[in-house]
Amino acid sequence: MLTTLKTSYTDTRAADLAWALGREPLPALAVLDLELTGARLQLRLLGASHQVLLEEEKHSCSETVACMPGSSTPLPLGVSKRVGAWEYEFAARVETLSHGSFAGRAQELLALVADHPHGLAGTFPGSPHAFTAMLAQRHEGQVRWRTWHAYPQEGQLVVTRTRIGIRMPATR
């Protein structure tokens, strides 16, 4: 699903993004509710930010990547931790692209997410390459999602990957 977000583009620097687990739902500009083999997932666009809410059986988790006033947790390169009965893994990277490369990558990502049944993307008025996009899937008992936060004025694309699920015992 592709939508135009009805807001000004305020989170304007990749370096201002922060990461948090366990936050309450924040006001969203666009929402996509998904059912992925027993897991209820809500993808939420918060402007140039995202929040994912996951519920499965008696467990729940929320991930927020946003410019959060008062947050002292910058966007980490990687996190691996237990969240209740789940193993949670998060990774982030910042791609810096030339103007031409950025425009091409933006079009490619928006096309990928716009028509995907588990994808949500929002563009901002005034810049066709300013967007936030999310794509979710269920794979081998785990729920996974990827996000892209575009900052065309800086030529930067923040890419995140998350994987969460019951830890599988080691095979012998």
Side-chain angles (χ1 to χ4, degrees):
M1 179 172 90
L2 178 62
T3 186
T4 299
L5 300 174
K6 304 205 177 0
T7 187
S8 60
Y9 189 55
T10 56
D11 295 350
T12 56
R13 291 186 29 180
D16 291 339
L17 286 176
W19 166 87
L21 275 178
R23 289 185 73 109
E24 292 296 316
L26 297 171
L29 299 171
V31 173
L32 179 63
D33 289 307
L34 299 171
E35 181 79 27
L36 301 175
T37 316
R40 289 182 308 283
L41 193 66
Q42 187 175 75
L43 305 180
R44 303 166 58 82
L45 296 181
L46 314 173
S49 315
H50 83 259
Q51 187 172 49
V52 177
L53 307 177
L54 171 64
E55 289 183 25
E56 185 175 22
E57 295 176 6
K58 297 177 184 176
H59 308 290
S60 65
C61 177
S62 77
E63 172 190 277
T64 306
V65 172
C67 297
M68 295 178 272
S71 175
S72 60
T73 307
L75 192 63
L77 295 177
V79 173
S80 181
K81 65 187 308 179
R82 288 192 65 76
V83 176
W86 288 327
E87 290 291 324
Y88 169 90
E89 291 181 9
F90 172 87
R93 73 177 190 278
V94 178
E95 297 177 9
T96 302
L97 304 163
S98 69
H99 180 72
S101 294
F102 192 93
R105 183 92 164 112
Q107 290 175 340
E108 187 179 273
L109 288 169
L110 287 171
L112 170 72
V113 175
D115 294 328
H116 196 285
H118 301 149
L120 175 62
T123 58
F124 293 89
S127 176
H129 304 126
F131 69 91
T132 301
M134 309 171 72
L135 191 59
Q137 69 174 355
R138 177 112 185 178
H139 182 70
E140 295 180 354
Q142 296 184 325
V143 178
R144 301 169 184 219
W145 57 88
R146 297 176 62 189
T147 72
W148 299 270
H149 303 253
Y151 297 91
Q153 72 285 2
E154 295 181 312
Q156 292 188 323
L157 186 66
V158 177
V159 180
T160 75
R161 290 179 185 261
T162 301
R163 180 175 63 187
I164 188 167
I166 301 294
R167 184 177 189 172
M168 299 303 222
T171 55
R172 297 185 178 185

